[in-house]
Amino acid sequence: MACKIRDTLKNKNPHISFEIFPPKTEAGFDSVLSAADKIAALKPSFISVTYGAGGGTSKNTVNIASHIQNDLGVTSLAHLTCVSSTKEEVHRVIEELKAKKIENVLALRGDIPGGNEFPLPNQYRYASELVEDIKTQGGFCIGGACYPEGHVETEHKKDDIMHLKHKVDCGLDFITTQMFFDNNIFYNFLYRIREQGIMIPVLPGIMPITNAKNMKRTLKLSGAALPQRFVAILDRFGEEPEAMKQAGIAYATDQIIDLIANGINHIHVYSMNKPEIAEAIMRNLSEIVKDTIY
Ligand code: FAD
């Protein structure tokens, strides 16, 4: 059943959403659809579908989000980045989303592409401009990104929070965080943004780290710090893939349980097209996340 995420977030019972990413080429399309089918069977509150940084996979994002919502009956959230596209190109994607009855969009700037002059005329500079633009199209529930440890481009966290406040005031309904591995960083961020008057729902983004080799790249991209407790897990299990997977799932589960115990009821899991990881987390939470919303 289609639904606006801002309404789902009014539900006070704990619930989980998952994220998948579209294939880079058409060849990978079926395997992503199959992962989406398995993750949808877990009845998450919604599934988000990321958007290729260069805009090249936009069609896949729209098609996969449409499959999740219109064929599988699970609310979908389509990511949309604007940094590598003209305003006309972005407007075309918004029209496609409308035509497929997708009601939820995560409005993002995307990483600035190297080597290009930025922004070119008729391009967006910040996500806040995209939020304003989507808002004028009407009918969408709009989410945005936020960074508990600060966005890598902004030197001072307080400036980042000031920019976030402006983005929220442009019309966001909720924000989802970059991954973090120490819940205290999230609690501190929440305190600081509430103090600045950002009162919309904040969904913590939890990334189960199940592969030590991919971890370095993930951490570099996200800028997230690794607590000593997780470093010990990596030292002990990093060379044993199955043990690392089990430990990574347990660590993510532990973060989620702590968040729920502290009153955070909506948690977004970066499940990375891996249904077995989403399934293991839901199994671990079977007595905690009982209420499937739909
Ligand atoms: P913005 O909100 O525009 O912020 C970017 C930077 O500009 C920040 O440093 C901010 O402080 C600064 N800033 C904002 N406004 C102003 C202003 N008025 N004046 C001065 N500085 C300002 N990337 C993808 O390519 N595809 C995805 O699907 C995707 N999904 C994501 C989902 C989540 C939950 C998160 C947290 C990130 C995601 N990203 C994705 C990565 C994201 O695109 C990058 O982090 C990007 O660099 C910033 O995007 P933003 O929307 O946060 O930008």
Side-chain angles (χ1 to χ4, degrees):
M1 188 177 67
C3 185
K4 293 218 166 39
I5 290 169
R6 63 170 172 252
D7 295 327
T8 306
L9 296 179
K10 289 178 190 149
N11 189 310
K12 296 285 177 234
N13 296 324
H15 57 265
I16 305 285
S17 53
F18 290 111
E19 181 162 300
I20 59 175
F21 57 87
K24 287 204 169 64
T25 62
E26 290 304 316
F29 197 75
D30 286 347
S31 76
V32 177
L33 281 196
S34 155
D37 292 358
K38 289 180 187 145
I39 291 174
L42 299 170
K43 302 220 174 304
S45 52
F46 66 87
I47 299 177
S48 69
V49 186
T50 67
Y51 195 87
T57 57
S58 71
K59 226 178 169 41
N60 285 341
T61 299
V62 176
N63 288 339
I64 292 167
S66 172
H67 172 68
I68 290 166
Q69 182 149 303
N70 299 316
D71 303 333
L72 304 176
V74 171
T75 298
S76 65
L77 169 65
H79 292 205
L80 174 57
T81 67
C82 59
V83 76
S84 302
S85 313
T86 63
K87 292 192 175 180
E88 283 73 25
E89 284 163 343
V90 168
H91 291 169
R92 262 200 297 281
V93 179
I94 296 171
E95 284 307 317
E96 283 173 37
L97 292 170
K98 267 192 177 169
K100 306 247 179 189
K101 301 194 171 10
I102 293 162
E103 298 177 43
N104 303 288
V105 181
L106 197 76
L108 299 147
R109 188 198 66 184
D111 289 327
I112 298 170
N116 287 352
E117 195 190 321
F118 174 79
L120 292 168
N122 204 23
Q123 265 189 335
Y124 303 84
R125 181 183 282 266
Y126 299 116
S128 54
E129 297 165 12
L130 176 63
V131 176
E132 280 177 323
D133 220 358
I134 299 173
K135 197 82 187 161
T136 62
Q137 314 276 324
F140 286 103
C141 167
I142 313 172
C146 62
Y147 304 85
E149 292 171 70
H151 185 262
V152 284
E153 281 168 37
T154 302
E155 201 179 339
H156 301 293
K157 261 196 215 170
K158 72 171 179 22
D159 294 335
D160 209 31
I161 292 176
M162 193 179 76
H163 301 146
L164 179 63
K165 171 85 170 86
H166 171 67
K167 183 163 71 170
V168 170
D169 290 345
C170 286
L172 288 182
D173 293 296
F174 68 94
I175 44 181
T176 306
T177 74
Q178 178 63 282
M179 67 186 77
F180 56 86
F181 300 97
D182 175 352
N183 286 1
N184 288 325
I185 289 172
F186 174 78
Y187 298 134
N188 182 271
F189 174 70
L190 202 55
Y191 178 80
R192 289 183 70 176
I193 65 170
R194 294 299 189 226
E195 215 179 30
Q196 293 308 313
I198 299 175
M199 306 311 279
I200 59 173
V202 185
L203 276 71
I206 298 298
M207 166 75 95
I209 295 280
T210 56
N211 179 322
K213 284 201 185 108
N214 294 346
M215 206 205 61
K216 272 202 184 120
R217 186 173 170 271
T218 307
L219 289 181
K220 189 161 177 261
L221 285 175
S222 68
L226 212 50
Q228 204 47 47
R229 198 160 77 82
F230 200 88
V231 174
I233 289 176
L234 276 177
D235 283 349
R236 176 69 181 80
F237 304 115
E239 300 297 319
E240 300 168 59
E242 287 308 311
M244 185 61 223
K245 193 168 175 180
Q246 195 168 48
I249 289 168
Y251 191 92
T253 305
D254 202 32
Q255 273 192 284
I256 295 170
I257 292 173
D258 179 71
L259 287 163
I260 295 174
N262 283 285
I264 310 294
N265 291 317
H266 322 285
I267 288 140
H268 190 59
V269 176
Y270 294 114
S271 44
M272 306 291 285
N273 298 1
K274 291 188 180 131
E276 72 281 8
I277 290 173
E279 282 158 9
I281 287 179
M282 289 309 258
R283 221 175 11 254
N284 287 346
L285 299 172
S286 60
E287 292 302 316
I288 294 169
V289 181
K290 284 200 270 201
D291 171 52
T292 52
I293 290 174
Y294 306 111

